[in-house]
Amino acid sequence: MPKSRPVQGLTATPPTQQPAATVREVAAAAGVSLATVSRTMNGGAQVSTATAQAVREAAAALGFRPNLVGRRLRAGRSHTIGVMLPTLQHPVFAECLSGIEQSAQSHGQVVALTTTQYDPANEEAASERLLENRVDGLVLTVADWRRSPLLDKLDREHMPYVLVFNQTGLVRSGGRAAKYGPGAARVSVSVDNRLAARHMVEHLIELGHRHIRMIAGQFSQSDRARLRHRGYEDAMGNAGLQAPPAVQLPFNTTEAAAALHEVVTAHPAPTALFCSSDHLALVVMHSLGRLGRRVPQDVSVAGFDGVAIGDLLTPPLTTVVQPVVEIGRTAVQMLHQRLSGQHMLGSATLHHSLKKGGTAASPRGQSVPAQCESHPRRSD
Amino acid sequence: MPKSRPVQGLTATPPTQQPAATVREVAAAAGVSLATVSRTMNGGAQVSTATAQAVREAAAALGFRPNLVGRRLRAGRSHTIGVMLPTLQHPVFAECLSGIEQSAQSHGQVVALTTTQYDPANEEAASERLLENRVDGLVLTVADWRRSPLLDKLDREHMPYVLVFNQTGLVRSGGRAAKYGPGAARVSVSVDNRLAARHMVEHLIELGHRHIRMIAGQFSQSDRARLRHRGYEDAMGNAGLQAPPAVQLPFNTTEAAAALHEVVTAHPAPTALFCSSDHLALVVMHSLGRLGRRVPQDVSVAGFDGVAIGDLLTPPLTTVVQPVVEIGRTAVQMLHQRLSGQHMLGSATLHHSLKKGGTAASPRGQSVPAQCESHPRRSD
DNA sequence: GTGAAAGCGCTAACAA
DNA sequence: TTGTTAGCGCTTTCAC
């Protein structure tokens, strides 16, 4: 279909960007008014089938592509959701983003993306960029949801958002449940980090371990890491075992190995290491290898996240599986719910599961290694 | 600073979305005209320091946030770059996106994201969503850059784009270099897939391997996979060795193991397997484990991609490293260059490197295992 | 069922 | 240096 288009003013337009057809041109071509074209393209509500047909033909012939920027300015809604994550280098966030994107797509929305590189100082600018673009709402992960100037700002402005991975709960101040912002609690989608960690450590204890250390990463200050450590303490405490503080593993690989060397040669030496992420577990196992320790014969290792890669290791990684993609999907659904004016049902806690891989076994001279996957009891 | 704002019509606005301040309100507050506010916020060109000061104060007091939608509609530029990738579940794409995002951020641009889930049928809709949003340009990966209705469309519309991972080159038709679209060749950022694959296979040959099979994944139809197979053929041919067709590994894990079983028990049995991606290499090693074969003692395995995870394996994965993040960054830079009217310098070929990890060693009864990393010669 | 007109927030001529 | 005005593409009253 060759397109004949009204001359646009005959400026010597460079050939490097032909202007797209507008409603006006479609209207002219179809011999109707702008309003009719608009009506046809949208609800298609009050338009006779004949004219609608004509409009659609004209639009097709002109290769009409609605300009969402115009629509947006008029409607005040952007059909865009802003996403702010610490990084994409970590599979957990990348997979979650994948879920977010899929869900947004199915809602006909577009995702605008920003990362903070784990630096809370970037949160302000990153979010601001999204807000300037007038996103309808935000899906994001912050360093610490309890003290976050960014979340304070969003609450103040009534900008809808859903946190992912951050696990919010009501904070009690002086005996009364405190809410954030004017009327809305901070809403989030996550697993029950504390319970999940407890389950994993209970698993290690069942295997016969008595000396279990928790390994935390560079981001041990994060709210999640703290909750996981609480779960570790719960399990250890319930079993009448000592729960020393988490080992903060340095960034640098060789330093990490050195730090780990100290840990595994201490007395009494831990027989199992519970890592606060899968990535950390891989680093730990790598370091252990360099120290001549075998996993799980000499020491057991467990992770947290359940990224796809863990399955492919030999032996497969023992870890807590978060439904990462589902977390992203759920967040978008909840945001959407909120945007369509429905009441938010509060935070969502998705089910985790324990993957009993091959990196955790009974300590030397004990028995009963478990090798099959199971789902955790949701007791308590 | 309490904000006093002109009454907006006294509609019973629901408390769930306070309208943001506009230039008009800032102008009123500062006692100047819209134009002056606009000038101050932008170039700040022709405004006296005194008024500029006043405007800035008023803006700050009102919490003014420029509405990029309005600006965009007026300016015709969105300061948004559209990104379309097959998936985010694969670390290669996630890491590349990370590079894209970082670079976009440093250019003050926002990233609008879409994925196709590897289905070319989704490319049309996914890109259309981006185009409706009037992105300034596109960074994308397509299934096959040579026959892509999407790229044809983009060329036709003169929409600037840069391919990532797809490795374009001039196609000769009837002896003349064929260009795509009206005047512009398809521009891309990638490594030299063929050369990189050749280097890896040469490395395997140097280790003493004679029977090397190439393992391709489900997407063996992709242009990259084809180029890598050509590189494999180059190396084998130069060494006077036979280069059988690539093994197409099934999706399902157990089927994969079965297929692999056939391969490794054939006569003569391959002593090394060159996989067209790191992920595939992991799957292969996993299957080999289940078949009771040890890597690298019984069979060597090499990958392609160089994702971060490979380093943490024991032994570390032998693989071709693509500068994935850099590929993303470069693509954005090139796009930016193009958008600012400069001439495109054509496609960029970034340097790969060989990571000689521990999964490839000399076959049984041979010597000289190489363990250190090196950079490839860039000959030919 | 359809059209005319106003206006979303912003910038860029053109005037003063 | 500053203000006035037009208009980007679209939707949506309000008339007819």
Side-chain angles (χ1 to χ4, degrees):
Chain A
M1 290 288 146
K3 49 190 86 169
S4 79
R5 176 176 305 177
V7 180
Q8 282 257 343
L10 266 182
T11 43
T13 321
T16 22
Q17 194 85 320
Q18 94 184 180
T22 72
V23 268
R24 194 186 264 58
E25 305 178 46
V26 175
V32 296
S33 73
L34 311 183
T36 304
V37 175
S38 177
R39 280 192 273 257
T40 309
M41 305 313 280
N42 301 341
Q46 321 285 47
V47 187
S48 78
T49 19
T51 41
Q53 172 80 357
V55 168
R56 256 185 272 279
E57 273 172 14
L62 288 169
F64 172 69
R65 175 154 47 218
N67 185 333
L68 261 40
V69 180
R71 186 196 324 246
R72 191 170 300 183
L73 182 58
R74 175 66 224 234
R77 285 201 39 181
S78 63
H79 291 277
T80 300
I81 79 175
V83 175
M84 190 182 92
L85 295 172
T87 182
L88 297 174
Q89 309 263 8
H90 196 311
V92 167
F93 292 110
E95 289 179 21
C96 178
L97 175 59
S98 182
I100 292 172
E101 199 278 327
Q102 284 170 38
S103 187
Q105 192 162 142
S106 76
H107 284 289
Q109 308 212 246
V110 148
V111 164
L113 175 72
T114 332
T115 62
T116 62
Q117 309 302 321
Y118 272 115
D119 186 352
N122 289 336
E123 291 184 355
E124 169 63 20
S127 64
E128 202 58 29
R129 210 137 20 91
L130 260 19
L131 295 177
E132 287 181 350
N133 277 280
R134 294 304 190 269
V135 295
D136 287 340
L138 251 37
V139 172
L140 73 172
T141 299
V142 297
D144 186 347
W145 68 271
R146 280 170 198 273
R147 46 211 75 212
S148 166
L150 168 56
L151 296 185
D152 292 341
K153 178 177 76 177
L154 296 180
D155 284 335
R156 224 180 300 123
E157 306 188 2
H158 300 282
M159 169 59 63
Y161 65 87
V162 177
L163 294 164
V164 280
F165 298 113
N166 294 111
Q167 182 182 347
T168 62
L170 290 183
V171 178
R172 305 198 155 266
S173 63
R176 301 203 318 161
K179 289 187 159 196
Y180 284 88
R186 292 186 169 166
V187 81
S188 69
V189 181
S190 72
V191 296
D192 185 332
N193 284 279
R194 183 170 177 174
L195 183 66
R198 198 189 97 194
H199 281 156
M200 177 53 87
V201 177
E202 284 173 351
H203 169 57
L204 295 174
I205 292 172
E206 274 170 24
L207 285 174
H209 294 279
R210 291 297 168 264
H211 298 289
I212 305 171
R213 290 295 303 262
M214 177 155 177
I215 312 286
Q218 28 167 349
F219 308 117
S220 59
Q221 301 314 326
S222 85
D223 43 21
R224 291 136 273 163
R226 275 199 301 271
L227 287 170
R228 290 172 197 170
H229 189 256
R230 296 278 282 280
Y232 161 75
E233 289 175 330
D234 291 345
M236 297 296 275
N238 289 346
L241 301 172
Q242 264 209 321
V247 178
Q248 171 104 13
L249 217 59
F251 221 166
N252 182 299
T253 324
T254 52
E255 283 180 40
L260 214 54
H261 181 71
E262 267 192 52
V263 171
V264 294
T265 54
H267 291 281
T271 59
L273 302 174
F274 172 47
C275 307
S276 69
S277 78
D278 281 357
H279 181 255
L280 209 51
L282 291 182
V283 171
V284 163
M285 290 196 293
H286 190 246
S287 296
L288 288 174
R290 294 171 65 184
L291 296 171
R293 309 289 170 122
R294 292 161 305 162
V295 176
Q297 294 90 336
D298 298 326
V299 55
S300 287
V301 173
F304 198 115
D305 279 344
V307 297
I309 212 86
D311 265 337
L312 294 173
L313 302 181
T314 28
L317 182 63
T318 291
T319 192
V320 174
V321 180
Q322 304 190 69
V324 192
V325 177
E326 199 57 28
I327 287 177
R329 279 211 201 95
T330 307
V332 172
Q333 273 159 19
M334 292 178 63
L335 188 60
H336 213 252
Q337 203 171 96
R338 169 91 151 76
L339 291 174
S340 56
Q342 297 169 44
H343 237 304
M344 278 275 222
L345 332 83
S347 294
T349 306
L350 269 40
H351 287 258
H352 63 271
S353 64
L354 247 49
K355 178 167 307 166
K356 298 176 180 170
T359 60
S362 293
R364 273 180 202 290
Q366 300 228 10
S367 52
V368 198
Q371 292 290 346
C372 55
E373 180 165 342
S374 84
H375 289 271
R377 302 138 296 151
R378 294 282 294 176
S379 63
D380 183 295
Chain B
M1 294 284 147
K3 47 190 87 167
S4 79
R5 176 176 303 176
V7 180
Q8 282 256 344
L10 266 182
T11 43
T13 321
T16 20
Q17 192 86 319
Q18 95 187 174
T22 72
V23 267
R24 193 185 264 61
E25 306 179 43
V26 175
V32 296
S33 73
L34 310 182
T36 305
V37 176
S38 176
R39 278 191 278 256
T40 308
M41 305 313 280
N42 300 341
Q46 321 285 45
V47 187
S48 79
T49 19
T51 40
Q53 174 80 356
V55 168
R56 257 184 272 276
E57 274 171 14
L62 289 170
F64 172 69
R65 174 154 47 218
N67 185 332
L68 261 41
V69 181
R71 187 196 319 248
R72 192 171 299 183
L73 181 57
R74 175 66 224 234
R77 283 198 45 180
S78 63
H79 292 278
T80 299
I81 79 176
V83 175
M84 190 183 92
L85 295 173
T87 181
L88 297 174
Q89 309 264 10
H90 196 312
V92 167
F93 292 110
E95 289 179 22
C96 178
L97 175 59
S98 181
I100 291 171
E101 199 279 326
Q102 284 170 40
S103 187
Q105 192 161 144
S106 76
H107 284 290
Q109 308 211 248
V110 149
V111 165
L113 175 71
T114 332
T115 61
T116 62
Q117 308 301 324
Y118 271 117
D119 185 353
N122 289 336
E123 291 184 356
E124 169 65 19
S127 65
E128 200 59 28
R129 209 139 19 93
L130 260 17
L131 296 177
E132 288 181 350
N133 277 281
R134 294 304 191 268
V135 295
D136 287 339
L138 251 37
V139 172
L140 72 172
T141 299
V142 296
D144 185 346
W145 68 270
R146 282 169 198 273
R147 49 209 73 212
S148 164
L150 168 55
L151 296 184
D152 292 341
K153 177 178 76 176
L154 296 179
D155 284 335
R156 224 179 300 122
E157 306 188 3
H158 300 284
M159 170 58 62
Y161 65 88
V162 176
L163 295 164
V164 280
F165 299 113
N166 294 112
Q167 182 181 348
T168 62
L170 290 182
V171 177
R172 304 197 157 268
S173 64
R176 301 202 318 162
K179 289 185 161 201
Y180 283 89
R186 293 186 168 166
V187 83
S188 69
V189 182
S190 72
V191 296
D192 186 332
N193 284 281
R194 183 171 178 173
L195 183 66
R198 199 189 97 193
H199 281 155
M200 177 54 85
V201 176
E202 284 174 349
H203 169 56
L204 295 173
I205 292 171
E206 275 170 23
L207 284 174
H209 294 279
R210 291 296 168 264
H211 297 289
I212 305 171
R213 289 296 301 262
M214 178 157 177
I215 313 286
Q218 29 167 348
F219 309 116
S220 59
Q221 302 313 328
S222 85
D223 44 20
R224 291 137 271 166
R226 275 200 298 272
L227 286 170
R228 290 172 197 170
H229 190 255
R230 298 276 284 279
Y232 160 76
E233 290 175 329
D234 291 345
M236 297 296 275
N238 290 345
L241 301 172
Q242 264 209 323
V247 178
Q248 170 105 13
L249 217 58
F251 222 165
N252 182 298
T253 323
T254 51
E255 283 181 40
L260 214 54
H261 180 72
E262 266 192 51
V263 171
V264 293
T265 55
H267 291 281
T271 59
L273 302 174
F274 171 48
C275 306
S276 70
S277 78
D278 281 357
H279 181 256
L280 209 50
L282 291 183
V283 171
V284 163
M285 290 195 293
H286 189 248
S287 296
L288 288 175
R290 294 171 67 183
L291 296 172
R293 309 292 170 120
R294 292 161 304 161
V295 176
Q297 293 90 336
D298 297 327
V299 54
S300 288
V301 173
F304 198 114
D305 279 344
V307 297
I309 212 84
D311 265 337
L312 294 173
L313 302 180
T314 29
L317 183 62
T318 292
T319 193
V320 174
V321 179
Q322 302 190 69
V324 193
V325 178
E326 198 58 30
I327 287 177
R329 280 212 200 92
T330 307
V332 172
Q333 273 160 19
M334 291 178 65
L335 187 59
H336 213 249
Q337 203 171 96
R338 168 90 149 75
L339 290 174
S340 56
Q342 296 168 45
H343 236 304
M344 280 277 225
L345 330 84
S347 294
T349 305
L350 269 39
H351 289 257
H352 63 272
S353 65
L354 247 49
K355 177 165 313 164
K356 298 175 181 170
T359 60
S362 292
R364 276 179 200 289
Q366 299 228 11
S367 51
V368 199
Q371 292 292 346
C372 55
E373 181 165 343
S374 83
H375 289 270
R377 303 138 295 153
R378 292 285 293 178
S379 64
D380 183 290

